[in-house]
Amino acid sequence: MDTTKIALQALDGYRQAATQIADGFDRAKQGLTDADVSGDSFGLLQESQGIAGKYSERCEDGLQVLTDGRTVFDALADAMEAIRDAYRSADLAAAQRYGGK
């Protein structure tokens, strides 16, 4: 069993998973943006106007969380790729040093 190959595959799998999750944040963000809920969506009664403001605040908070989530998972994907590259480079250097491939 080539443990180096398995480790590289695992790191690549983690990178792909982080990228997929990051893409999910974008899809959720787009869905929230596309909802296009206006103040009138809550009715015309005076009491409903406060609900529209709260909804808007919550949407802004949600959009920020989704943006932050995307940033974090993009960084994780980049880190997994960097770790994979460093792992592979170190293994190749060690193999060359000791007469391997």
Side-chain angles (χ1 to χ4, degrees):
M1 173 181 347
D2 184 354
T3 56
T4 301
K5 185 175 181 180
I6 292 170
L8 294 176
Q9 288 172 343
L11 289 167
D12 194 45
Y14 296 147
R15 181 194 57 76
Q16 289 174 355
T19 298
Q20 289 173 350
I21 292 169
D23 291 344
F25 282 113
D26 277 349
R27 286 190 301 277
K29 207 172 141 178
Q30 190 61 52
L32 195 55
T33 301
D34 289 347
D36 193 30
V37 177
S38 68
D40 294 342
S41 300
F42 297 95
L44 299 176
L45 295 175
Q46 181 64 27
E47 294 79 16
S48 69
Q49 298 309 307
I51 294 171
K54 289 288 185 190
Y55 178 83
S56 179
E57 286 176 32
R58 298 298 186 267
C59 283
E60 289 301 316
D61 291 347
L63 289 169
Q64 187 59 54
V65 167
L66 293 168
T67 297
D68 293 346
R70 174 74 204 215
T71 300
V72 167
F73 278 88
D74 280 342
L76 285 171
D78 291 345
M80 289 301 123
E81 186 171 9
I83 292 167
R84 183 185 188 282
D85 291 346
Y87 196 130
R88 186 175 29 159
S89 296
D91 188 63
L92 288 172
Q96 290 174 348
R97 191 173 23 235
Y98 296 108
K101 296 180 189 178

